[in-house]
Amino acid sequence: MLSLIIPMSAFALAASISPGPVNLVCLSSGTRYPLHRGLIFVTGATLGFIILFVTIGLGLYSVLTVVPGFNTLLRWMGVAFLLYLSIQLWLDNGQLTDEEHHKPPGFMAGAIMQWLNPKAWLASASGIGAYTSGHNVYEILVFAALYLPFCWLSLSCWVYAGAYLRRYIHRPGLLVSLNRLLALLLAASSVFFLVK
């Protein structure tokens, strides 16, 4: 087990920090809202992912292969949710106002988004398949414990990157352009998972 800790950690870091739907929402949140609001979303997304990871490790993945159509339904729900978020980003007016007028994505949005995020399902299933025996609960829990800090820190980096960009975006037009670029990338990533 000790020999797997470094490869598991490397996998967790690569899967967590690479661009994906949740990462793009973190970046957008960092540009739009105070830092602590983005970190609340990050915490929800991290815990949502860890629960998904452990659930898949404990057998949900095998249920998905047995129940016909459930995997397809889950994929379409995820794509619909990601497209909804893309539309919200696209329609944002770029005004940096206080939180009372625009509700930032919160803890539950982060947690739910991971369950509807095809990248999270792929990362969980491939990580568990590659680095655990699939039946050893201890291995799955150790892997989840390693994943927890890597996921939280990686997503936080995206929020901090957004906050850094915010310092240089003083015109609403620039923020609208950034939001629309992120909206297109989010929509493209959801379509990619649909056709994959």
Side-chain angles (χ1 to χ4, degrees):
M1 187 67 206
L2 204 55
S3 63
L4 284 176
I5 287 179
I6 291 175
M8 283 178 172
S9 298
F11 179 86
L13 176 62
S16 298
I17 206 160
S18 61
V22 174
N23 307 72
L24 294 175
V25 172
C26 289
L27 180 66
S28 175
S29 183
T31 63
R32 299 277 304 138
Y33 306 106
L35 202 54
H36 73 280
R37 298 302 305 171
L39 295 179
I40 290 171
F41 175 81
V42 165
T43 302
T46 300
L47 294 178
F49 175 78
I50 295 302
I51 292 169
L52 173 69
F53 185 84
V54 171
T55 303
I56 289 174
L58 296 178
L60 180 61
Y61 188 68
S62 57
V63 171
L64 289 175
T65 60
V66 174
V67 179
F70 186 66
N71 193 23
T72 303
L73 175 66
L74 189 66
R75 181 178 289 202
W76 277 101
M77 286 174 52
V79 167
F81 183 69
L82 295 175
L83 289 174
Y84 166 77
L85 290 175
S86 298
I87 291 168
Q88 296 302 310
L89 267 174
W90 184 270
L91 296 176
D92 188 83
N93 65 9
Q95 296 292 327
L96 294 174
T97 57
D98 57 30
E99 293 178 44
E100 295 173 8
H101 295 97
H102 298 283
K103 189 175 181 203
F107 182 90
M108 286 307 294
I112 291 168
M113 189 173 180
Q114 289 289 31
W115 280 76
L116 297 174
N117 178 7
K119 179 188 170 194
W121 284 81
L122 290 171
S124 297
S126 60
I128 288 166
Y131 297 104
T132 72
S133 62
H135 303 290
N136 188 327
V137 176
Y138 175 73
E139 289 177 349
I140 292 166
L141 293 178
V142 167
F143 201 173
L146 288 169
Y147 232 122
L148 182 71
F150 282 109
C151 185
W152 194 89
L153 291 170
S154 295
L155 294 178
S156 296
C157 287
W158 285 84
V159 174
Y160 277 98
Y164 178 79
L165 286 174
R166 181 181 179 158
R167 293 175 17 198
Y168 299 100
I169 299 174
H170 300 291
R171 292 181 304 170
L174 287 174
L175 191 55
V176 167
S177 298
L178 177 64
N179 283 342
R180 290 192 173 168
L181 175 64
L182 292 174
L184 290 173
L185 291 172
L186 190 57
S189 72
S190 63
V191 171
F192 170 76
F193 285 119
L194 190 60
V195 297
K196 188 172 180 185

